[in-house]
Amino acid sequence: MRQDNKTQFTRLLQLVFGAFRPPPGRRRILIALIYGVICHSIFTLSVLAMMIAMFFGMSESFGRVPDPWLWLANAALILQFPLVHSFLLSGRGRAILSKLAPAPHGKTLGTTTYAIIASMQLFLLFTFWTPSGIIWWQAEGAAFAAICTLYAASWLLLIKASYDAGAEVQSGALGWMSLMQKIKPVFPDMPTTGLFRFIRQPIYVAFALTLWTVPVWTPDQLFLAISYTAYCLLAPRLKERRFRKIYGDRFRAYQARVPYIIPTFKRNVPDGQPRTE
């Protein structure tokens, strides 16, 4: 079920305030609250782990795999996220997700379960990475301040892009808050506003920027940055394939009008309106 005519802010307000007025159902409410607490706790921890670990160039973590096996262990940590992340978006993956919550609420909690798994994967990656112990370069003085500003700006850009795409989906709140209200999850419409006016994949671009705007550079950070930048360039192709199936000609028109990852800053015509020269 999709919602087409409401702004992101209005949609979020209705979802949040509705969760404070749930219809009766003690078991349903308890399940929703448990999933909500788990989801947002792990989500917060994973984001903090990412921000801190990359700030130090992946030189500070709890992994202790001996050399030379540390690179295999780190490669496995890198690969587990995109592989599982992409699989869970497939038809079989979604079917599995629906079985990971108490019946009959599996489908309703799908986005929350997905966010929990993704957050756990990221937490594992950035917490149990084994540092090489090699530091190539560390910013100091004015360079440190400038790079820290860019790093913070990249994270703010990622937050903005996630909000434009639908914060309730990106954070996992949609599932458990819908269950609280005993309604079907209402997904946001195809994103075309905010940062999506300039590029089609602002979340992936913003995440890639966080990988390259760090004040400490190590072989670990370079390995991570190259691997996940490649993922950010290639993975959205699968996402856009799904969008073409869901939205058809509407997405194709958007695709023809808005660049993939490099903005042109040309004035884009609002979705559904004819272009005039």
Side-chain angles (χ1 to χ4, degrees):
M1 185 175 180
R2 295 192 177 271
Q3 181 169 297
D4 300 329
N5 299 318
K6 295 178 180 177
T7 66
Q8 292 99 318
F9 187 66
T10 301
R11 191 176 62 240
L12 280 172
L13 281 181
Q14 289 185 342
L15 185 67
V16 171
F17 286 128
F20 284 98
R21 301 187 301 272
R26 183 177 300 176
R27 180 177 180 272
R28 187 196 77 253
I29 292 172
L30 180 61
I31 291 171
L33 288 174
I34 290 173
Y35 269 73
V37 170
I38 293 173
C39 177
H40 298 311
S41 297
I42 297 177
F43 182 88
T44 301
L45 289 173
S46 68
V47 171
L48 289 174
M50 289 170 62
M51 294 177 71
I52 295 170
M54 289 199 296
F55 183 84
F56 292 103
M58 305 299 291
S59 64
E60 301 289 339
S61 191
F62 293 105
R64 294 296 181 266
V65 178
D67 194 28
W69 305 109
L70 67 89
W71 293 109
L72 287 176
N74 290 341
L77 286 172
I78 286 177
L79 286 172
Q80 54 88 24
F81 179 75
L83 291 179
V84 175
H85 197 69
S86 299
F87 171 73
L88 291 178
L89 290 173
S90 67
R92 287 183 60 191
R94 288 194 294 270
I96 291 174
L97 277 178
S98 67
K99 297 177 182 178
L100 298 180
H105 307 305
K107 288 186 177 180
T108 301
L109 287 169
T111 55
T112 302
T113 307
Y114 183 81
I116 290 172
I117 294 172
S119 297
M120 289 177 61
Q121 289 182 271
L122 290 173
F123 183 78
L124 289 173
L125 167 61
F126 290 99
T127 304
F128 294 102
W129 182 275
T130 299
S132 66
I134 301 170
I135 295 179
W136 284 335
W137 180 79
Q138 184 170 343
E140 297 179 353
F144 179 77
I147 293 173
C148 286
T149 300
L150 290 174
Y151 189 58
S154 298
W155 278 100
L156 290 174
L157 198 66
L158 181 57
I159 293 170
K160 168 62 174 168
S162 299
Y163 172 80
D164 291 338
E168 67 272 42
V169 176
Q170 303 299 317
S171 66
L174 178 62
W176 76 267
M177 287 189 176
S178 296
L179 183 59
M180 283 284 288
Q181 300 173 63
K182 203 176 180 180
I183 60 174
K184 290 184 178 180
V186 179
F187 287 81
D189 191 23
M190 183 183 84
T192 58
T193 59
L195 295 177
F196 286 86
R197 293 174 54 216
F198 305 105
I199 54 175
R200 302 197 304 272
Q201 302 299 335
I203 292 179
Y204 287 93
V205 170
F207 178 64
L209 288 175
T210 67
L211 295 168
W212 294 97
T213 55
V214 297
V216 178
W217 276 97
T218 64
D220 312 66
Q221 183 66 32
L222 183 63
F223 185 28
L224 180 77
I226 291 174
S227 301
Y228 276 179
T229 298
Y231 171 70
C232 289
L233 291 173
L234 298 175
R237 299 294 184 184
L238 298 176
K239 178 181 177 181
E240 294 199 345
R241 186 184 303 173
R242 293 194 303 272
F243 271 38
R244 283 194 294 271
K245 290 181 180 179
I246 296 170
Y247 298 106
D249 290 340
R250 185 178 169 210
F251 179 73
R252 292 186 183 91
Y254 171 72
Q255 197 173 28
R257 187 173 69 250
V258 178
Y260 185 54
I261 60 170
I262 301 176
T264 60
F265 296 106
K266 293 180 180 178
R267 183 176 180 274
N268 291 317
V269 177
D271 191 41
Q273 294 186 14
R275 181 182 293 276
T276 58
E277 302 294 343

